[in-house]
Amino acid sequence: DATTRTLQVLSVGVFSGFSAGMFGVGGGSITVPCLAFIGGSTPNYTYTDILTTSLLAMSLPAVIASYAQRNLIIWRLSAFLSVGSALGGMSTARFVETLPPA
């Protein structure tokens, strides 16, 4: 079930984030094994998919935190840009689904 899977992955993210904040561990030692366990029953997740997803999930907050610490982010502008990007991406995905196959 998609809702269950979403809640499982969200729980892994929260647990991993908490662990990273409290103990300095998270991505490699918690996220990857948990996602492998959750996705192990489906062929949708390969180990490479899980590992690269974990690396991306760790990289973005690190880059953002690095810039934020130096006060180089205009937060209000970033919020609007993020919402606009998400809406643009979703609407483009829906539009592409209506196109005939190539």
Side-chain angles (χ1 to χ4, degrees):
D1 171 61
T3 303
T4 302
R5 179 67 51 121
T6 301
L7 290 175
Q8 288 174 331
V9 172
L10 182 62
S11 298
V12 169
V14 169
F15 179 65
S16 178
F18 176 79
S19 298
M22 292 296 290
F23 311 112
V25 297
S29 59
I30 293 174
T31 305
V32 172
C34 287
L35 289 177
F37 178 75
I38 291 170
S41 61
T42 68
N44 296 336
Y45 297 148
T46 65
Y47 186 75
T48 303
D49 294 337
I50 293 167
L51 186 60
T52 54
T53 300
S54 175
L55 288 172
L56 178 65
M58 289 183 293
S59 299
L60 291 177
V63 169
I64 291 169
S66 168
Y67 279 89
Q69 187 175 18
R70 293 173 180 85
N71 293 321
L72 298 174
I73 296 176
I74 304 169
W75 290 106
R76 183 177 169 88
L77 179 62
S78 298
F80 286 115
L81 184 60
S82 297
V83 170
S85 295
L87 292 174
M90 289 186 298
S91 62
T92 301
R94 289 190 181 189
F95 170 71
V96 168
E97 289 177 345
T98 66
L99 297 175

